[in-house]
């Protein structure tokens, strides 16, 4: 009897335990549904990605918002507080007439800053030639790049209606070419100009305008981030102001991108504490162009030199392959590393709990380059830490699933050619690939394979082309946040062609929008010489 009683008791305990597990599972499921689909749950869910520093600014070393120290670090620049830039016309400025010289169709190639600069220039060119401008086509956002068919080229990044409405009194803008001209373009029967960087008004007046009047349409291909000289003659000052109207009033990001950027800004400001936006400017192209390979180690150095070799072959770089990076760095020709920016900020007085937002679609070297900066400041964040994956997916639109069935392998090189190339190769940065006679101890697939095997990089896959389009949206979000930041500091202000980069656009927009907003431009030469020199 006792044995039977024990068996019944154990059986009851098993059922009680099983019931407890079932109830726990149901409870977890209900909590998940509440967190996912209720407004309160969403706000609590969002709070998990909002910064909550251990102490507020007001509690840090008696650091109140009314103190002179707070104003020095976060306050506006006093001698610029009364400056209010204005891009409106100052003299006689007629509306665009109904009679135009023809249509200008523009294809723009390049990254975020190159696209934005080019759009400003082509609008001015259209006004200068009294032409009708077709909404520019952004090459990296065409449907062939694997992006969502929900958005078309220009509309993938910018608001088309806002662009056309803002420029209604400046230039006539249409969405597409007329049917007859569209057919001629498909057949490639319209004149095409590959416009040089920073071309003069003379070029357009004497080379493009006669062809435009003859054929009623021309196609401009802009690839270097600008097709009109930066400073126009005094008699064209109204065109210079038109540039500003395009950059600061006509170019607005599409609604979904603007909303996400605003939401991230709200999360950044949730602690009630100002923040710094930092743009490293450390792209592979910029490092290769300026000869800064030795700022890194191992295969990253090789990757930079590989890109520099490619630039030399195409005439982008006029110098030699082997460059003394330490000398370039001391001359201020290389970006400041994140740890150097951290030292400057700490020396200037910013505390360890200061919020620092790191912008940029690419930081060469990856997250490990930010480790020293994170060691100096506990609240170093970026776009990914302040947003959820589904929020970023929403701005991409509905995209088809892409699978690279043929990822592509490094080109095959004959053994004799390898040995001969090894013998005749000049000095190369470390690490050297193993000689042909020695078996490889690493996987040759991926960039660490082709960088040692070929002078040419493999063609971009559809996934990589799609990612390039996504980078435009990432940088658009970063652009909004950097412009609105309490303090902005760039690590570098030149790109991979020696032209102004993303940080330059931000600094110009901040100066126009609020001249007194605090922006630091570190003197890279002085900073690397052991001094701290940051200019307001």
């Amino acid at each position: 009897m006792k044995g039977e009683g024990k068996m019944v008791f154990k059986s009851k305990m098993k059922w009680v335990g099983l019931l407890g597990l079932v109830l726990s599972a149901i409870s977890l499921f209900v909590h998940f549904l509440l967190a996912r689909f209720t407004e309160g749950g969403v706000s609590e869910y969002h709070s998990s990605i909002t910064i909550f520093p251990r102490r507020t600014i007001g509690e840090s070393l008696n650091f109140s918002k009314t103190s002179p120290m707070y104003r020095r670090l976060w306050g506006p620049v006093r001698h610029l507080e009364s400056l209010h830039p204005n891009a409106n016309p100052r003299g006689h400025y007629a509306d665009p007439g109904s009679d135009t010289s023809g249509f200008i169709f523009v294809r723009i190639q390049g990254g975020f800053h190159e696209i934005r600069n080019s759009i400003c220039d082509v609008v001015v060119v259209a006004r200068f030639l009294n032409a009708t401008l077709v909404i520019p086509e952004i090459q990296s956002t065409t449907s062939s790049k694997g992006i969502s068919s929900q958005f078309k080229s220009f509309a993938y990044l910018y608001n088309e209606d806002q662009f056309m409405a803002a420029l209604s009194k400046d230039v006539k803008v249409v969405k597409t070419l007329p049917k007859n001209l569209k057919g001629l373009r498909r057949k490639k029967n319209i004149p095409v100009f590959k416009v040089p960087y920073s071309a003069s008004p003379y070029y357009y007046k004497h080379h493009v305008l006669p062809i435009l009047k003859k054929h009623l349409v021309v196609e401009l291909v802009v690839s270097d981030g600008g097709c009109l000289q930066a400073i126009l003659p005094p008699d064209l000052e109204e065109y210079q102001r038109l540039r500003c109207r395009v950059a600061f009033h006509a170019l607005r990001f599409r609604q979904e991108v603007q909303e996400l950027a605003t939401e991230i800004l709200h999360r950044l400001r949730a602690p009630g504490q100002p923040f710094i936006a930092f743009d490293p400017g450390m792209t592979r192209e910029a490092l290769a162009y300026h000869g800064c390979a030795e700022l890194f180690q191992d295969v990253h150095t090789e990757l930079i030199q590989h890109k520099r070799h490619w630039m030399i072959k195409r005439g982008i770089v006029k110098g030699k392959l082997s460059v003394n990076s330490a000398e370039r760095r001391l001359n201020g020709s290389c970006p400041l590393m994140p740890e150097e920016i951290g030292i400057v900020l700490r020396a200037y007085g910013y505390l360890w709990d200061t919020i620092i937002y790191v912008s940029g679609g690419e930081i060469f070297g990856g997250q490990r380059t930010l480790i020293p900066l994170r060691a100096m400041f506990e609240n170093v964040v970026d776009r990914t830490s302040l947003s959820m994956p589904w929020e970023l997916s929403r701005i991409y639109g509905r995209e088809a699933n892409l699978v690279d069935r043929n990822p592509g392998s490094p080109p095959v090189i004959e053994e004799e050619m390898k040995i001969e190339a090894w013998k005749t190769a000049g000095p190369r940065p470390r690490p050297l690939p193993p000689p042909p006679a020695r078996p490889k101890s690493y996987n040759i697939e991926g960039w660490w394979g082709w960088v040692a095997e070929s002078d040419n990089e493999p063609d971009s896959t559809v996934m990589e082309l799609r990612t390039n389009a996504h980078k435009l949206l990432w940088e658009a979000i970063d652009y909004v946040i950097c412009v609105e930041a309490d303090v902005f500091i760039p690590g570098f202000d030149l790109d991979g062609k020696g032209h102004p980069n993303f940080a330059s656009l931000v600094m110009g927009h901040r100066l126009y929008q609020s001249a007194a907003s605090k922006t630091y431009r570190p003197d890279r030469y002085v900073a690397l010489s052991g001094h701290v020199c940051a200019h307001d």
Side-chain angles (χ1 to χ4, degrees):
M1 294 293 292
K2 289 182 179 180
E4 291 180 1
K6 288 182 179 179
M7 292 291 291
V8 171
F9 178 75
K10 289 181 178 179
S11 178
K12 288 182 179 180
M13 290 299 294
K14 288 180 180 178
W15 282 106
V16 170
L18 181 61
L19 180 62
L21 289 174
V22 172
L23 290 174
S24 298
I26 293 173
S27 176
L28 288 171
F29 182 68
V30 170
H31 277 79
F32 172 77
L33 290 179
L34 289 174
R36 183 68 180 87
F37 296 106
T38 64
E39 293 183 4
V42 170
S43 62
E44 182 180 353
Y45 184 61
H46 284 174
S47 69
S48 65
I49 56 175
T50 304
I51 309 165
F52 290 99
R54 298 177 194 172
R55 60 183 182 185
T56 61
I57 283 289
E59 297 171 341
S60 302
L61 304 176
N62 298 320
F63 194 34
S64 66
K65 293 185 177 181
T66 57
S67 67
M69 185 66 171
Y70 184 91
R71 181 175 177 85
R72 185 173 76 86
L73 295 180
W74 301 106
V77 183
R78 290 185 178 180
H79 63 274
L80 294 177
E81 286 179 346
S82 60
L83 182 61
H84 300 285
N86 191 328
N88 293 331
R90 310 290 168 82
H92 173 71
Y93 191 80
D95 290 348
S98 56
D99 296 331
T100 66
S101 303
F103 293 86
I104 293 181
F105 181 85
V106 185
R107 287 190 292 126
I108 300 176
Q109 302 167 350
F112 177 87
H113 67 280
E114 293 169 321
I115 291 169
R116 197 171 180 90
N117 283 334
S118 298
I119 292 173
C120 297
D121 284 356
V122 297
V123 171
V124 174
V125 169
R127 171 79 187 194
F128 182 69
L129 299 181
N130 189 31
T132 298
L133 176 67
V134 181
I135 291 280
E137 182 178 280
I138 301 173
Q139 289 296 97
S140 53
T141 61
T142 54
S143 57
S144 62
K145 304 300 187 295
I147 67 171
S148 173
S149 58
Q150 182 180 352
F151 309 104
K152 292 183 179 179
S153 188
F154 186 92
Y156 185 76
L157 188 59
Y158 293 110
N159 186 323
E160 280 187 347
D161 295 331
Q162 163 67 23
F163 181 76
M164 296 176 69
L167 297 176
S168 59
K169 294 186 178 181
D170 294 295
V171 64
K172 189 175 180 181
V173 183
V174 296
K175 290 191 176 182
T176 60
L177 286 167
K179 286 186 178 180
N180 59 326
L181 296 179
K182 193 183 294 184
L184 289 175
R185 181 179 174 268
R186 287 197 189 100
K187 296 177 183 178
K188 299 182 178 180
N189 287 336
I190 66 174
V192 179
F193 290 87
K194 292 186 177 180
V195 187
Y197 177 77
S198 194
S200 67
Y202 177 90
Y203 172 85
Y204 291 99
K205 189 174 182 179
H206 293 86
H207 292 82
V208 178
L209 185 58
I211 304 299
L212 176 62
K213 288 182 175 179
K214 180 179 179 181
H215 296 270
L216 298 181
V217 60
V218 294
E219 180 175 324
L220 304 183
V221 180
V222 186
S223 59
D224 288 330
C227 58
L228 187 64
Q229 65 187 59
I231 301 176
L232 296 173
D235 60 316
L236 298 178
E237 61 179 357
E238 289 298 345
Y239 295 93
Q240 198 77 10
R241 294 190 185 97
L242 174 57
R243 254 185 180 145
C244 296
R245 290 198 292 278
V246 179
F248 307 133
H249 298 282
L251 285 178
R252 299 286 178 86
F253 301 114
R254 62 178 164 92
Q255 184 178 351
E256 298 87 348
V257 178
Q258 191 69 42
E259 287 177 353
L260 180 54
T262 303
E263 180 61 31
I264 293 177
L265 263 174
H266 174 73
R267 294 168 189 170
L268 268 169
R269 298 194 186 280
Q273 173 176 344
F275 72 94
I276 297 173
F278 163 51
D279 180 67
M282 293 171 57
T283 63
R284 182 181 167 211
E285 289 74 15
L287 293 164
Y289 182 88
H290 295 281
C292 306
E294 293 174 7
L295 296 181
F296 299 86
Q297 296 178 354
D298 304 328
V299 78
H300 289 95
T301 297
E302 184 80 4
L303 275 171
I304 295 171
Q305 289 296 80
H306 198 278
K307 189 70 176 181
R308 184 172 174 83
H309 176 64
W310 180 89
M311 289 179 167
I312 291 173
K313 284 176 64 176
R314 284 156 181 78
I316 300 172
V317 173
K318 303 298 182 182
K320 299 179 181 178
L321 176 62
S322 298
V323 179
N324 187 336
S325 296
E327 185 177 314
R328 288 288 180 95
R329 185 168 174 268
L330 290 175
N331 288 337
S333 300
C334 292
L336 290 176
M337 299 297 284
E339 59 265 31
E340 293 164 342
I341 291 291
I343 292 170
V344 169
L345 292 176
R346 288 302 299 270
Y348 200 65
Y350 291 98
L351 302 177
W352 58 274
D353 60 349
T354 301
I355 300 172
I356 298 181
Y357 180 88
V358 180
S359 74
E362 173 193 2
I363 301 176
F364 191 78
Q367 288 295 314
R368 72 175 185 175
T369 61
L370 295 175
I371 291 175
L373 181 65
R374 294 182 188 276
M376 286 182 266
F377 295 93
E378 69 165 2
N379 288 322
V380 177
V381 295
D382 58 16
R383 174 190 61 257
T384 58
S385 59
L386 290 169
S387 62
M388 304 306 297
W390 63 268
E391 290 179 304
L392 292 172
S393 298
R394 187 174 59 184
I395 67 173
Y396 303 153
R398 295 180 180 179
E399 296 177 327
N401 292 326
L402 297 176
V403 178
D404 283 331
R405 297 178 180 176
N406 300 314
S409 57
V412 178
I413 303 177
E414 296 295 333
E415 198 69 22
E416 293 80 4
M417 293 175 62
K418 288 184 182 180
I419 296 173
E420 186 61 29
W422 177 269
K423 291 179 179 179
T424 59
R428 302 183 67 188
R430 60 181 184 277
L432 289 173
R438 189 187 308 163
K440 297 182 178 66
S441 59
Y442 57 85
N443 187 354
I444 64 171
E445 293 183 2
W447 52 260
W448 55 88
W450 58 252
V451 76
E453 296 289 337
S454 171
D455 286 337
N456 297 315
E457 300 183 15
D459 294 334
S460 297
T461 63
V462 180
M463 283 296 294
E464 290 171 337
L465 293 174
R466 174 185 285 183
T467 301
N468 289 337
H470 290 176
K471 286 180 180 178
L472 296 178
L473 301 179
W474 301 343
E475 294 196 59
I477 293 170
D478 290 342
Y479 185 84
V480 174
I481 293 170
C482 290
V483 169
E484 297 294 335
D486 300 281
V487 172
F488 177 70
I489 182 168
F492 202 50
D493 54 4
L494 296 174
D495 68 359
K497 296 177 182 177
H499 305 154
N501 68 353
F502 176 91
S504 299
L505 292 184
V506 171
M507 289 188 286
H509 200 141
R510 287 172 65 86
L511 184 63
Y512 178 84
Q513 180 172 293
S514 177
S517 59
K518 195 171 289 291
T519 299
Y520 295 118
R521 298 190 65 180
D523 186 328
R524 291 186 295 273
Y525 174 78
V526 176
L528 291 170
S529 299
H531 303 284
V532 177
C533 182
H535 303 290
D536 290 341

